[in-house]
Amino acid sequence: MSHLKPEQFVDLAEGMLPETAAPHLAACEACRRQLADLRAMMSETSGVEAPEPSPLFWDHLSARVRDAVAEEAARPRTWRERVLQPLVLVPSLAAAIAAVIIAILLPRAAVAPNIPSLPLPFAENVTVPSPSPSLPPLAPLGASDDPQLGIVAAIATTVDWDEMRDEVALATGGSSDALAGALSIDEQRELQRLLAEEMAQPSALEKLS
Amino acid sequence: MWALPGQPEGRGWHVSAVNSRAVPERSTDTGQAAVADLDEQQLIAACLAGRAGAFDLVVERHRKAVYQLCYRFVGNHEDASDLSQDVFLRAYRGLKSFRGGSSLGTWLYRIGVNVCLNRVTVKKPITEDLDARQHVDGSRESQVDRVLREERAAQVRAAIAKLPPKQRATLVLRMYQELSHEEIAGVLGSSVGAVKANFFHALGNLKKILGEMA
């Protein structure tokens, strides 16, 4: 035997549903009692009036609202309120979303189509000597690597060392110091060693002369 | 002149410079109907157009219902007064977004319930003691009966204040603001079935709380 549902109790208590429409009531003492309790509480609750404030209060309330609204209207709007205006917010959000989408898709669209045709300059089994015992050896560059590395490798094979050194020298002042400062101690030692090695060799100009 | 948020300057709510009181206009020099004669939709349009006294009339028409809703929630005059002001201020800010899908009164109830629910979650309701309350007219009943009735009413109000917020909102809107279950569902953003279930449980919990108070 299933008891009445809350909705049915409410409909019965409010007279929206006649008791004859709920035959279960006749057979269930618990539901009859619950319905009687519900009606009693509704009766008791409805008899509780809210205290009536002074008649002067209503004009006072209107005046308070009027003052608050006047203050609101006079208050300069904050940047947040300006930004959150639909006329500003919607185009701004649309532009931001479009910028993010372009930033994600454009580089791939621009580079990806040309990559597969580039020949990879390194053989699969080339090993790169480790410059320092503390640094892990670089894995050989292969076809499964990021194709963009292929571009870098292709460029690197055509760039002359002295040319590259000159380009670095043209960088903004202090940038090479900052870069060197960002290296670990082992990396700095390795850089020193490479520079000393390079300085000991005759430059391209000396070779020509 | 007061302007609704986003209104161009030159259109707004006229305020006397002397006492900063807006007065709903009774006649116009443009052949328009007086604000006091406008129906609800016309009144909203008048508010949005910045007609003098239009929003004042909205407040005048709905202030009692809004105050009573707030009072039923918080159980004391001071907070109910503050909350009523807040309800109208929010209504003023949001009038542009009012789509007319429900009556203005229902829309104000929705704002009122939100304001009150926000309030009751941050502050425990303080109900007034018996002496602080103004009594309803009881001149025909005996002094003892009046005191007993007031005492019981205070208990019921205190019990209502202890109900969970949604049950309290449902009970107040149904029993005191006399909204239909469908209207309450619109105000609370729930289904009619959920409203009836909340109402059922609110009355059940009220009985339990009053039993514990006795």
Side-chain angles (χ1 to χ4, degrees), chain A residues 138-153:
Chain A
L138 288 171
L141 186 63
S144 60
D145 287 300
D146 187 342
Q148 294 186 53
L149 287 175
I151 299 172
V152 177

Side-chain angles (χ1 to χ4, degrees), chain B residues 15-213:
Chain B
V15 181
S16 160
V18 177
N19 60 4
S20 76
R21 293 289 177 95
V23 180
E25 60 181 46
R26 299 290 167 189
S27 62
T28 65
D29 53 4
T30 58
Q32 292 175 306
V35 170
D37 300 330
L38 298 178
D39 65 22
E40 190 170 287
Q41 288 201 337
Q42 291 170 328
L43 185 59
I44 293 163
C47 286
L48 293 172
R51 276 188 68 182
F55 192 72
D56 216 33
L57 196 60
V58 170
V59 176
E60 194 178 317
R61 284 182 182 175
H62 296 278
R63 62 192 177 188
K64 192 166 184 175
V66 167
Y67 169 82
Q68 285 186 341
L69 173 75
C70 296
Y71 186 91
R72 297 287 187 187
F73 257 90
V74 293
N76 72 85
H77 172 74
E78 191 184 339
D79 286 342
S81 180
D82 288 346
L83 289 172
S84 302
Q85 179 187 323
D86 200 16
V87 170
F88 283 115
L89 190 58
R90 284 172 192 235
Y92 169 77
R93 286 178 192 150
L95 202 57
K96 277 198 300 180
S97 63
F98 177 63
R99 303 280 177 230
S102 61
S103 71
L104 185 60
T106 303
W107 184 65
L108 286 169
Y109 280 142
R110 192 177 303 142
I111 297 172
V113 167
N114 282 331
V115 167
C116 291
L117 287 178
N118 285 339
R119 166 60 182 256
V120 297
T121 54
V122 296
K123 186 176 176 182
K124 208 174 176 182
I126 305 162
T127 48
E128 288 169 341
D129 60 26
L130 194 58
D131 295 336
R133 276 178 265 117
Q134 297 173 51
H135 299 159
V136 294
D137 181 22
S139 54
R140 289 186 184 174
E141 62 185 339
S142 74
Q143 188 78 1
V144 174
D145 287 345
R146 187 171 64 81
V147 169
L148 287 175
R149 184 172 55 77
E150 277 293 331
E151 190 67 44
R152 184 60 177 171
Q155 283 182 343
V156 172
R157 276 194 287 267
I160 290 171
K162 288 182 179 175
L163 289 173
K166 272 223 163 174
Q167 290 181 17
R168 193 187 324 179
T170 307
L171 185 89
V172 168
L173 291 172
R174 182 70 187 135
M175 296 302 300
Y176 301 115
Q177 311 305 124
E178 296 179 354
L179 265 62
S180 68
H181 294 293
E182 287 75 15
E183 286 172 318
I184 297 170
V187 168
L188 298 178
S190 51
S191 66
V192 173
V195 168
K196 286 183 180 176
N198 267 327
F199 186 52
F200 174 80
H201 292 303
L203 289 166
N205 282 332
L206 207 57
K207 182 174 186 289
K208 192 176 162 190
I209 295 167
L210 284 167
E212 289 166 357
M213 282 176 165

Side-chain angles (χ1 to χ4, degrees), chain A residues 97-115 148:
Chain A
I97 290 167
V100 169
I101 290 169
I102 289 167
I104 292 169
L105 296 180
L106 193 61
R108 293 181 186 188
V111 174
N114 299 326
I115 298 310
Q148 294 186 53

